[in-house]
Amino acid sequence: MFGTTLLNTLWVGLLAGILSALVRIGFQQLFKLEGDKRSEALTIGGGIFVDISQMMMLVLSILLSIVFLVWANIDTGITAGSGTLWGFLVWVLIEQINRGIFEKRGFFWQNPWQQTLVSFVSYLFWGWAIYLVAIGFPISGVYF
């Protein structure tokens, strides 16, 4: 029983991670600041570039989606707020604490409020997208 639930959680987490990463990346592309620089990109030929930071966000999104689904199967309290609570927790842990301390980007009160708002809302949409995919596939074990 647990093995089946874990297997279903893995593939639904993969789908949720891909979709939610696209939602977050798209939302942040919609609202770019003038000071945003182009990050490192890998050229794969034909004028096609792969953005390394966005690829890392995709992998991280898949992993965090799987963690969310496993956690939601154990304790449904994390699904409060339709996944936006999970988005808020990840925004605090990843965007604020990790990047503020290790990457020296500055915490949210040191950045322009527009950048903080876009980042915050994009993580809320990110968590909501994970939740919507999870309840869309009932085999994930996550219900309303």
Side-chain angles (χ1 to χ4, degrees), residues 5 8-9 13 18 20-21 33 40 42-43 55 66 74 80 86 94 107 110 116 125-126 130 138:
T5 304
N8 291 337
T9 299
I18 292 170
S20 63
L33 295 176
E40 291 186 31
L42 204 64
T43 305
M55 188 61 69
I66 293 170
I74 295 170
W86 177 247
I94 301 263
F107 294 101
Q110 297 168 332
T116 301
F125 280 140
W126 174 84
I130 293 172

Side-chain angles (χ1 to χ4, degrees), residues 35-94:
D36 288 343
K37 297 178 186 172
R38 183 136 182 98
S39 61
E40 291 186 31
L42 204 64
T43 305
I44 58 174
I48 298 173
F49 296 93
V50 176
D51 192 351
I52 302 297
S53 65
Q54 303 296 355
M55 188 61 69
M56 288 176 28
M57 179 57 198
L58 178 68
V59 171
L60 184 66
S61 181
I62 291 170
L63 292 175
L64 289 173
S65 296
I66 293 170
V67 168
F68 172 78
L69 292 172
V70 169
W71 191 352
N73 278 310
I74 295 170
D75 178 25
T76 59
I78 192 63
T79 61
S82 299
T84 55
L85 175 64
W86 177 247
F88 176 73
L89 290 174
V90 171
W91 178 73
V92 168
L93 293 174
I94 301 263

